[in-house]
């Protein structure tokens, strides 16, 4: 949803602190697209690696008193992405930035949000601690694996949702989407599925998954009616596509007609692309929170599509910068 605002040139210069946007290496095309929507240039910075694997970042322009936004998604190589962001935050603070917002479109460690086996780290909280220790004043992110991960941070977090983008995509793809059914792959995704079903004015169904071990799950039953209907599967992310294959198989076995998939984060690790290429679905769409390389698009048998969330991030940055409400973007 677009928020009414004045022309960027007037609006973004109306505060004493200039709006400055920088990016790490993980998803520069998204950062550039956000800047294009904002009407500001992407700031100049460099990142290098020494021969001993240490990273050094350097801003090539002044940040003094600036309202600085650093765009960095946590994609492969995840540890380098996180380290680079922390160095950029620390360097910005040392360079007298007025305020630093870490813009993290995909916070991958949100999956590590509880102690579900002995002697492990709740890494989602640890990374939150480290970002704040580095000097982040605010966080802007999208579709955390579990919304309560927000609570790991003591600084303000603006948690965007891609639901409106996913729902609009389904509506464009299937003109009579209201006759279809949104399918939640597990109980954890029922709220998201329900919100998208309301936007489509469609039916709703969910899969009851049985946990076999800490790492293995098996679909037990599909609750709802998908027979002869177009099914819209929604999820927070696709990593190996293991969950997706199970979800599609059970939907097909229950008589689903066409299957469309849309998720926020298209991480596509390991066998994901081969699995998707062989999957009995019309399309698998994800947003550009994670950069999907052309080789993966090419290998997907024409199944993958990418949806743009840069306008949402640009609107959120505008509202944060001007002190306007960000919650209008959630509805
Ligand atoms: C699970 O709780 C999540 O919502 C996703 O379904 C899961 O992270 C996807 O992972 P994979 O694609 O490896 O099955």
């Amino acid at each position: 949803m677009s928020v009414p605002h004045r022309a960027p040139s007037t609006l973004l210069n109306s505060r004493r602190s200039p709006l400055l946007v920088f990016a790490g290496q993980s998803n520069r095309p998204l950062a550039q697209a956000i800047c294009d929507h904002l009407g500001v240039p992407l700031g100049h910075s460099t990142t290098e690696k020494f021969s001993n694997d240490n990273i050094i970042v350097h801003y090539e322009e002044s940040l003094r008193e600036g309202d600085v936004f650093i765009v960095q998604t946590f994609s492969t190589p995840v540890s380098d992405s996180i380290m680079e962001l922390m160095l950029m935050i620390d360097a910005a603070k040392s360079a007298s930035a007025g305020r630093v917002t870490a813009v993290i479109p995909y916070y991958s460690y949100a999956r590590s949000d509880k102690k579900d086996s002995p002697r492990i780290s709740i890494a989602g909280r640890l990374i939150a601690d480290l970002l704040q220790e580095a000097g982040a004043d605010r966080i802007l992110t999208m579709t955390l694996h579990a919304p309560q991960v927000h609570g790991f941070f003591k600084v303000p977090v603006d948690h965007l949702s891609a639901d409106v983008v996913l729902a609009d995509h389904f509506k464009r793809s299937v003109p009579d989407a209201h006759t279809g059914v949104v399918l939640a792959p597990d109980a954890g995704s029922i709220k998201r599925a329900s919100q998208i079903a309301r936007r489509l004015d469609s039916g709703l169904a969910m899969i009851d998954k049985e946990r076999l071990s800490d790492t293995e799950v098996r679909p037990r039953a599909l609750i709802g009616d998908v027979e002869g209907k177009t099914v819209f599967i929604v999820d927070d992310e696709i990593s190996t596509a293991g969950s997706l294959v199970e979800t599609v198989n059970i939907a097909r076995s229950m008589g689903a007609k066409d299957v469309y998939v849309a998720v926020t984060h298209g991480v596509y690790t390991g066998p994901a692309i081969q699995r998707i290429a062989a999957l009995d679905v019309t399309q698998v769409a994800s947003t550009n929170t994670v950069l999907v390389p052309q080789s993966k698009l090419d290998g997907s048998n024409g199944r993958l599509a990418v949806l743009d969330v840069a306008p949402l991030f640009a609107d959120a940055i505008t509202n944060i910068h001007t002190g306007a409400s960000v919650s209008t973007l959630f509805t």
Side-chain angles (χ1 to χ4, degrees), residues 309-326:
V309 288
L312 258 178
F313 277 97
D315 284 345
I317 289 172
T318 298
N319 289 17
I320 291 167
H321 179 64
T322 57
S325 168
V326 176

Side-chain angles (χ1 to χ4, degrees), residues 5-201:
H5 54 67
R6 289 176 280 148
S9 54
T10 317
L11 176 78
L12 301 178
N13 293 323
S14 63
R15 283 170 55 106
R16 252 182 75 212
S17 301
L19 171 64
L20 302 173
V21 182
F22 293 89
Q25 305 303 304
S26 62
N27 194 346
R28 293 186 68 86
L30 174 63
Q32 185 60 60
I34 292 171
C35 286
D36 292 346
H37 282 280
L38 289 168
V40 300
L42 180 58
H44 291 107
S45 65
T46 55
T47 300
E48 287 175 73
K49 235 184 196 187
F50 290 117
S51 55
N52 65 357
D53 238 17
N54 287 9
I55 297 172
I56 181 168
V57 302
H58 175 232
Y59 290 101
E60 293 173 0
E61 53 193 275
S62 172
L63 283 70
R64 194 165 288 273
E65 300 306 321
D67 191 12
V68 175
F69 292 78
I70 305 170
V71 182
Q72 179 78 322
T73 212
F74 290 174
S75 56
T76 305
V78 174
S79 300
D80 278 0
S81 299
I82 293 171
M83 190 66 192
E84 185 188 18
L85 176 59
M86 286 196 291
L87 295 174
M88 290 185 82
I89 294 169
D90 184 54
K93 294 301 269 197
S94 300
S96 303
R99 179 173 70 173
V100 175
T101 301
V103 181
I104 309 172
Y106 173 51
Y107 188 78
S108 62
Y109 272 103
R111 286 180 75 165
S112 176
D113 63 348
K114 57 186 149 326
K115 201 159 177 185
D116 50 10
S117 72
R119 302 177 293 282
I120 63 164
S121 164
I122 301 176
R125 198 220 62 243
L126 174 65
I127 303 297
D129 289 349
L130 294 172
L131 290 168
Q132 291 165 112
E133 188 58 34
D137 297 300
R138 309 182 62 92
I139 306 292
L140 172 60
T141 189
M142 179 171 268
T143 314
L144 293 166
H145 176 64
Q148 57 270 27
V149 168
H150 186 144
F152 289 167
F153 293 88
K154 291 193 184 75
V155 296
V157 176
D158 291 304
H159 181 196
L160 301 176
S161 158
D163 289 357
V164 65
V165 175
L166 307 189
D168 284 351
H169 166 70
F170 286 143
K171 278 191 206 165
R172 277 195 308 274
S173 306
V174 182
D176 60 348
H178 63 278
T179 62
V181 176
V182 177
L183 177 59
D186 53 37
S189 43
I190 189 72
K191 196 169 169 195
R192 180 180 309 115
S194 155
Q195 277 161 358
I196 292 179
R198 263 179 274 158
R199 286 185 189 280
L200 299 182
D201 199 18

Side-chain angles (χ1 to χ4, degrees), residues 111 145 185-186 192 209 235-244:
R111 286 180 75 165
H145 176 64
D186 53 37
R192 180 180 309 115
K209 271 188 190 165
D235 212 341
D236 58 334
E237 69 174 66
I238 296 172
S239 183
T240 64
S243 310
L244 178 62

Side-chain angles (χ1 to χ4, degrees), residues 158-325:
D158 291 304
H159 181 196
L160 301 176
S161 158
D163 289 357
V164 65
V165 175
L166 307 189
D168 284 351
H169 166 70
F170 286 143
K171 278 191 206 165
R172 277 195 308 274
S173 306
V174 182
D176 60 348
H178 63 278
T179 62
V181 176
V182 177
L183 177 59
D186 53 37
S189 43
I190 189 72
K191 196 169 169 195
R192 180 180 309 115
S194 155
Q195 277 161 358
I196 292 179
R198 263 179 274 158
R199 286 185 189 280
L200 299 182
D201 199 18
S202 70
L204 179 64
M206 72 165 271
I207 289 179
D208 176 29
K209 271 188 190 165
E210 183 180 16
R211 183 158 287 282
L212 303 175
S213 71
D214 283 345
T215 54
E216 274 183 288
V217 290
R218 181 172 63 197
R220 212 166 55 154
L222 191 152
I223 301 161
D225 179 18
V226 298
E227 192 170 357
K229 297 190 175 153
T230 298
V231 168
F232 304 106
I233 296 172
V234 293
D235 212 341
D236 58 334
E237 69 174 66
I238 296 172
S239 183
T240 64
S243 310
L244 178 62
V245 169
E246 288 172 359
T247 306
V248 171
N249 287 346
I250 194 165
R252 285 286 182 199
S253 72
M254 302 292 278
K257 188 175 69 163
D258 305 312
V259 179
Y260 289 78
V261 181
V263 304
T264 306
H265 311 297
V267 190
Y268 306 129
T269 60
I273 296 300
Q274 293 96 305
R275 284 175 170 168
I276 289 168
L279 209 52
D280 191 8
V281 296
T282 305
Q283 191 181 64
V284 176
S286 59
T287 78
N288 51 352
T289 56
V290 175
L291 182 64
V292 183
Q294 190 61 43
S295 57
K296 290 189 179 178
L297 294 171
D298 292 343
S300 73
N301 205 8
R303 299 256 155 69
L304 287 189
V306 178
L307 311 174
D308 187 15
V309 288
L312 258 178
F313 277 97
D315 284 345
I317 289 172
T318 298
N319 289 17
I320 291 167
H321 179 64
T322 57
S325 168

